[in-house]
C-alpha cells in the first residue's frame, strides 16, 4: 500500500489546530506556513467571486491580517481552518 495522497500543503485537523495555537502565541513562522498553505485557494475563490485580480489580492491580505490580529476569531468547533 502506497503513501496517502493529500492535497499539497494541507494538514489534518490536529495539524491545523497546532498551527493556530502557534499563531495565537505570536509565532510568525506559523503564520507564514498558514499563508503558504491557503493563500492560493483564497485568492482563486475571491477571484471567481469578484472577477477582479486587485480585489482578490485585497481579500487575501485582509483575511490573513485579520487572522494574525485576531486569531481567536477562528473557532474549530464551527469547521476546519480551510472552510473558515
Amino acid at each position: 500500500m502506497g503513501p496517502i495522497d493529500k492535497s499539497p500543503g494541507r494538514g489534518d485537523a490536529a495539524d491545523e489546530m497546532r498551527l493556530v495555537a502557534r499563531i495565537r502565541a505570536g509565532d510568525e513562522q506559523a503564520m507564514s506556513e498558514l499563508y503558504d498553505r491557503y493563500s492560493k485557494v483564497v485568492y482563486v475563490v475571491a477571484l471567481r467571486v469578484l472577477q477582479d485580480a486587485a480585489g482578490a489580492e485585497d481579500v487575501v491580505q485582509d483575511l490573513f491580517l485579520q487572522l494574525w490580529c485576531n486569531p481567536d476569531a477562528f473557532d474549530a468547533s464551527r469547521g476546519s481552518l480551510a472552510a473558515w
Side-chain angles (χ1 to χ4, degrees):
M1 189 168 198
I4 296 172
D5 183 24
K6 290 185 177 182
S7 298
R10 300 238 169 81
D12 61 12
D15 183 50
E16 285 184 351
M17 291 310 303
R18 284 189 294 272
L19 201 54
V20 171
R22 289 173 51 205
I23 290 168
R24 286 182 174 133
D27 184 337
E28 292 177 14
Q29 179 62 36
M31 191 67 204
S32 179
E33 289 175 33
L34 183 77
Y35 183 87
D36 290 345
R37 283 185 192 184
Y38 295 110
S39 63
K40 185 175 181 178
V41 72
V42 170
Y43 176 79
V44 168
V45 170
L47 184 60
R48 284 185 187 156
V49 171
L50 300 174
Q51 297 292 307
D52 176 62
E57 290 171 5
D58 287 344
V59 167
V60 171
Q61 182 178 0
D62 289 347
L63 182 123
F64 286 95
L65 182 61
Q66 181 183 50
L67 182 59
W68 178 250
C69 292
N70 187 16
D72 291 328
F74 171 69
D75 180 0
S77 69
R78 297 181 69 196
S80 71
L81 190 56
W84 183 79

